[in-house]
Amino acid sequence: MAIQLNIGALDIQITAEPLTHEAFSSFGDVVSNPRPDVHPSSFDAHAQSLPPNAFLANQGSAIQYRNVSRLKNLYDQAPSGKGEPIMSIFVCAARGGAESSSSGANTFTVRHLERHPFTAQTFTPMRSTASSYLVIVAPSLPPSSKDEDLPVPTGEGLPGRGFPDLKRLRAFVATSSQAVTYGAGTWHSPMVVLGQAGTRLDFVVSQFASGVAVEDCQLLEFVSDGKDEPSIRVKIPQRDWSIKL
């Protein structure tokens, strides 16, 4: 069940940017082929220019890029004390309800953010009828009395217990050739697929889970004073990607 959070008169408007490793590094990992121009048969010719984690594999028929992302399991700190590795498939419809603006861009209203405090979560797209998706993330505020009942792990590099800092919200457009790993405890939007109505994008999702709802997923629902929907909007420029929500 979602926790309803009144954001009062707060009005947030941001513009989505292309998803890159560097821009997303404080929230998790972007997983993609770093050198799609290099065929395994030409590994030796390009060896000096490849990333240091590149290795020839499978009797020379593949290039392996090692340790591109790591799944983190922190369930030993959860009240249940145990989480199991799981893989699932999310079949995600392109989201409707966005509005076109005079600038030629579309907007998406952020009504929910969620986090998985005890596990990282990787979304790996599979070939489908849509080809891009929106990644929306936020760092955490310091802990407060409003979130004191939410279980979270402790440790270096973790976001902490606080609710999301909406004033530092970020948004990125990812392509179907990019997987994304949300770091443990990272506030993020439920999956938002971009594309024509009736299209979809499928994902393999890898994570740990205990089956205890408040440990596995903490979901927020935003409301604004005197408005039907929260004033948290992401502008999605129409560039090389074709976006019509």
Side-chain angles (χ1 to χ4, degrees):
M1 180 178 295
I3 300 169
Q4 194 170 86
L5 186 63
N6 192 320
I7 63 171
L10 190 65
D11 192 322
I12 303 293
Q13 298 186 53
I14 63 172
T15 299
E17 56 192 282
L19 182 66
T20 66
H21 296 267
E22 295 76 18
F24 193 71
S25 61
S26 61
F27 302 104
D29 301 316
V30 178
V31 183
S32 61
N33 183 353
R35 290 294 302 274
D37 58 308
V38 178
H39 189 271
S41 62
S42 59
F43 179 89
D44 290 340
H46 294 276
Q48 295 302 314
S49 64
L50 290 174
N53 64 334
F55 294 86
L56 198 60
N58 293 357
Q59 299 77 50
S61 65
I63 300 173
Q64 179 191 33
Y65 295 97
R66 297 179 180 174
N67 301 323
V68 294
S69 187
R70 295 180 184 272
L71 285 179
K72 183 170 286 189
N73 178 10
L74 300 172
Y75 276 94
D76 59 341
Q77 296 189 50
S80 67
K82 186 177 182 181
E84 299 292 336
I86 63 170
M87 295 180 69
S88 55
I89 292 178
F90 276 58
V91 179
C92 300
R95 296 281 190 118
E99 299 176 353
S100 295
S101 69
S102 58
S103 66
N106 287 322
T107 60
F108 177 79
T109 298
V110 181
R111 298 174 177 85
H112 300 89
L113 289 180
E114 66 183 33
R115 68 179 174 190
H116 312 280
F118 298 98
T119 181
Q121 186 184 45
T122 298
F123 281 79
T124 304
M126 298 188 292
R127 186 171 182 175
S128 311
T129 53
S131 60
S132 59
Y133 60 103
L134 196 59
V135 175
I136 304 170
V137 288
S140 295
L141 291 165
S144 71
S145 59
K146 294 180 180 180
D147 50 65
E148 62 186 0
D149 293 330
L150 297 178
V152 298
T154 58
E156 185 177 353
L158 295 176
R161 196 187 72 208
F163 282 158
D165 185 351
L166 295 176
K167 293 181 179 179
R168 297 166 63 197
L169 193 74
R170 300 282 301 277
F172 307 91
V173 175
T175 72
S176 57
S177 64
Q178 295 173 301
V180 63
T181 297
Y182 297 107
T186 297
W187 289 107
H188 64 91
S189 171
M191 185 54 65
V192 181
V193 168
L194 304 173
Q196 299 287 346
T199 63
R200 70 173 208 280
L201 187 54
D202 304 343
F203 297 86
V204 175
V205 182
S206 306
Q207 64 187 96
F208 291 85
S210 67
V212 179
V214 74
E215 295 177 1
D216 290 340
C217 183
Q218 297 169 2
L219 176 66
L220 299 181
E221 178 183 7
F222 302 115
V223 295
S224 292
D225 287 338
K227 297 182 179 180
D228 293 334
E229 58 184 26
S231 297
I232 311 172
R233 294 178 295 276
V234 176
K235 184 169 71 172
I236 309 163
Q238 291 186 338
R239 298 181 182 173
D240 293 335
W241 49 76
S242 175
I243 298 171
K244 281 291 183 183
L245 295 183

